[in-house]
């Protein structure tokens, strides 16, 4: 659940609720974006779980939520719940990659228009966003360093946008680039970081903030390299 | 005319964006709707009042809508609220600030970064306000002891 981008306090809350439903009180949990420490019941030993990869997968969050809700209302037995949870963990229900890329392209185009660029910039936005996001997915699979993938993707976006504008397809270079980096940009991370901070989860908030800062830095650097070349 | 186009594009932008976040298929429509309403509020308010305040209002609306949807469709609130705040999130500003930093234009960069930080803060405030309001209205007795114990 944490790997799928839920807020840390939601993860803590869910774990405590599940433990309560199984009569394992009082349980304690401590969650940060990179790890979970959990003790169920007073006598049990605490367990530590390391979280390696962080993405956003709302479907998993929603299904775990369903399961915990059912478990708490005793509509589900413990074994069934465990089976379902492992299924959620292993079965990959993501959209196919081409759908994701198409969605990224479409939303980039829309963003380009929403940021007060003309309608003529819609198509370049779609193209750049699609290229950038597919480059990001490919590179992220190939090299596991996320910031490198973001850097190269934004470099490509800048390059394509520059080419398109210089042959006269689009008009506002800045707007096109901003629109098409939106699928990569860590806006959501920043907001989640502030929310975590406000909820009193200082460690999670700061580490999320650092991650967001690095991502923004990678993207900004990618585009800036291009501007220094031309 | 522009307003209608803005509404359409923000609907598709939010609905398409949550596909990247792998939102459940059945909620895409509602996600688009909450994004559209939030952006509409923001778009109509920005020329009249301050950006920060417009953002707080828009996120508040998004928060209320997503609590509402979450109750109807029995899904976690985060699905709808994420979709709703996507158009409002200062991604463009964060990028712009970083670009200025890399270009050695520190004055503009700091200004933009501060603005991005304030806007994301106001998004968080809008969401928190709507959440608090929701809890005040519902007053679930189960939630109170849970919160106390986790502290």
């Amino acid at each position: 659940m944490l790997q799928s981008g839920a807020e840390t306090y939601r993860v803590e809350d869910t774990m405590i609720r599940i433990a309560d439903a199984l009569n394992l009180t009082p349980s304690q949990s401590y969650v940060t974006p990179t790890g979970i420490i959990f003790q169920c019941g007073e006598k049990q030993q605490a367990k530590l779980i390391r979280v390696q990869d962080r993405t956003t997968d709302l479907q998993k969050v929603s299904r775990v939520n369903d399961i915990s809700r059912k478990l708490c209302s005793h509509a589900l037995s413990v074994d069934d719940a465990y089976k379902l949870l492992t299924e959620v963990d292993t079965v990959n229900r993501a959209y196919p990659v081409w759908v994701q890329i198409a969605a990224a392209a479409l939303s980039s185009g829309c963003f380009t228009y929403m940021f007060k660029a003309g309608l003529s910039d819609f198509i370049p936005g779609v193209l750049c966003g699609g290229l950038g996001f597919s480059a990001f997915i490919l590179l992220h699979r190939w090299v596991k360093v996320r910031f490198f993938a973001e850097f190269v993707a934004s470099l490509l976006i800048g390059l394509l946008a520059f080419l398109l504008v210089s042959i006269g397809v689009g008009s506002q270079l800045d707007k096109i680039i901003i629109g098409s980096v939106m699928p990569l940009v860590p806006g959501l991370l920043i907001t989640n970081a502030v929310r975590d901070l406000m909820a009193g989860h200082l460690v999670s908030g700061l580490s999320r903030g650092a991650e967001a800062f690095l991502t923004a830095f990678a993207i900004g650097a990618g585009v800036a390299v291009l501007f220094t070349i031309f | 005319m522009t307003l209608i186009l803005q509404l359409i594009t923000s609907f598709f932008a939010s609905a398409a964006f949550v596909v990247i976040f792998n939102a459940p298929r059945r909620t895409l429509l509602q996600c688009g709707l909450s994004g559209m309403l939030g952006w509409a509020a923001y778009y109509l308010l920005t020329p009249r009042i301050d950006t920060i305040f417009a953002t707080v209002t828009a996120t508040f609306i998004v928060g209320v809508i997503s609590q509402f949807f979450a109750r109807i469709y029995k899904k976690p609130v985060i699905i709808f609220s994420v979709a709703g705040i996507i158009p409002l999130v200062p991604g463009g500003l964060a990028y712009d600030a970083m670009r200025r930093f890399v270009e050695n234009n520190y004055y503009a960069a700091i200004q933009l970064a501060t603005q991005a930080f304030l806007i994301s803060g106001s998004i968080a405030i809008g969401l928190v306000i709507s959440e608090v309001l929701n809890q005040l209205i519902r007053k679930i007795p189960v939630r109170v002891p849970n919160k106390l114990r986790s502290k």
Side-chain angles (χ1 to χ4, degrees):
Chain A
M1 194 164 171
L2 189 64
Q3 278 183 9
S4 309
E7 310 99 310
T8 46
Y9 59 87
R10 181 186 294 280
V11 180
E12 286 184 358
D13 195 48
T14 309
M15 289 200 302
I16 289 180
R17 268 161 196 256
I18 290 177
D20 278 358
L22 305 178
N23 293 324
L24 289 167
T25 46
S27 49
Q28 297 279 337
S29 66
Y30 176 71
V31 177
T32 71
T34 48
I36 299 174
I37 304 173
F38 185 65
Q39 181 184 25
C40 47
E42 221 162 26
K43 301 278 166 59
Q44 302 274 335
Q45 284 184 339
K47 202 176 174 193
L48 171 70
I49 300 160
R50 178 91 171 87
V51 176
Q52 296 283 3
D53 200 21
R54 289 176 302 281
T55 50
T56 308
D57 188 336
L58 294 176
Q59 186 144 20
K60 280 185 182 167
V61 176
S62 142
R63 294 185 44 175
V64 172
N65 205 48
D66 269 359
I67 295 169
S68 94
R69 196 194 296 264
K70 277 187 197 145
L71 192 64
C72 290
S73 59
H74 300 286
L76 208 63
S77 75
V78 184
D79 295 331
D80 287 347
Y82 184 73
K83 221 177 280 167
L84 281 173
L85 282 173
T86 17
E87 191 200 312
V88 170
D89 193 28
T90 46
V91 177
N92 189 10
R93 290 204 175 197
Y95 292 90
V97 175
W98 66 269
V99 175
Q100 285 186 33
I101 292 174
L106 178 66
S107 65
S108 308
C110 291
F111 278 125
T112 314
Y113 178 74
M114 277 156 70
F115 294 138
K116 300 196 176 74
L119 263 186
S120 60
D121 290 337
F122 183 79
I123 303 291
V126 168
L127 290 176
C128 296
L131 174 87
F133 195 71
S134 28
F136 173 68
I137 286 187
L138 268 179
L139 281 167
H140 190 44
R141 266 188 207 163
W142 187 38
V143 275
K144 284 286 162 202
V145 188
R146 205 167 128 210
F147 302 111
F148 177 73
E150 274 153 0
F151 176 76
V152 176
S154 57
L155 188 71
L156 284 175
I157 286 176
L159 196 67
L160 184 64
F162 186 81
L163 284 177
L164 284 174
V165 170
S166 57
I167 60 170
V169 179
S171 50
Q172 295 186 41
L173 181 62
D174 255 355
K175 298 282 156 58
I176 297 175
I177 292 180
I178 291 183
S180 26
V181 293
M182 275 305 272
L184 305 176
V185 135
L188 204 63
L189 264 175
I190 301 177
T191 311
N192 259 347
V194 179
R195 278 188 84 185
D196 275 347
L197 282 176
M198 279 172 121
H201 292 234
L202 302 178
V203 178
S204 336
L206 286 184
S207 44
R208 282 234 164 99
E211 199 183 359
F213 174 80
L214 273 177
T215 312
F217 181 74
I219 294 169
V223 180
V225 164
L226 186 100
F227 275 102
T228 46
I229 294 172
F230 294 106
Chain B
M1 186 59 202
T2 351
L3 179 66
I4 294 170
L5 266 177
Q6 288 276 354
L7 287 182
I8 295 170
T9 45
S10 58
F11 179 83
F12 279 111
S14 323
F17 211 97
V18 284
V19 170
I20 303 176
F21 289 158
N22 196 13
R25 227 158 280 222
R26 256 180 266 155
T27 59
L28 288 185
L29 198 68
Q30 290 86 24
C31 287
L33 211 63
S34 85
M36 184 176 85
L37 290 172
W39 181 253
Y42 177 80
Y43 185 77
L44 291 174
L45 284 174
T46 26
R48 295 180 184 87
I49 54 174
D50 190 51
T51 321
I52 305 272
F53 195 67
T55 314
V56 173
T57 321
T59 7
F60 177 71
I61 291 171
V62 166
V64 171
I65 293 168
S66 24
Q67 309 270 6
F68 185 65
F69 281 154
R71 199 105 65 85
I72 296 178
Y73 298 101
K74 293 248 175 355
K75 297 271 185 235
V77 187
I78 186 178
I79 295 183
F80 305 108
S81 59
V82 160
I85 62 176
I86 279 168
L88 306 167
V89 140
L93 268 176
Y95 149 80
D96 225 17
M98 269 308 151
R99 215 190 86 198
R100 296 287 149 79
F101 268 123
V102 182
E103 285 170 351
N104 283 342
N105 190 353
Y106 296 119
Y107 285 114
I110 294 280
Q111 273 180 10
L112 286 169
T114 316
Q115 218 178 336
F117 182 74
L118 282 180
I119 288 181
S120 43
S122 56
I123 289 177
I125 288 177
L127 285 178
V128 167
I129 292 176
S130 69
E131 217 163 277
V132 167
L133 199 72
N134 185 44
Q135 276 177 19
L136 282 182
I137 292 171
R138 285 205 292 179
K139 283 248 172 166
I140 296 181
V142 184
R143 188 162 282 186
V144 180
N146 244 338
K147 274 274 147 69
L148 286 178
R149 196 177 315 136
S150 61
K151 261 174 197 156

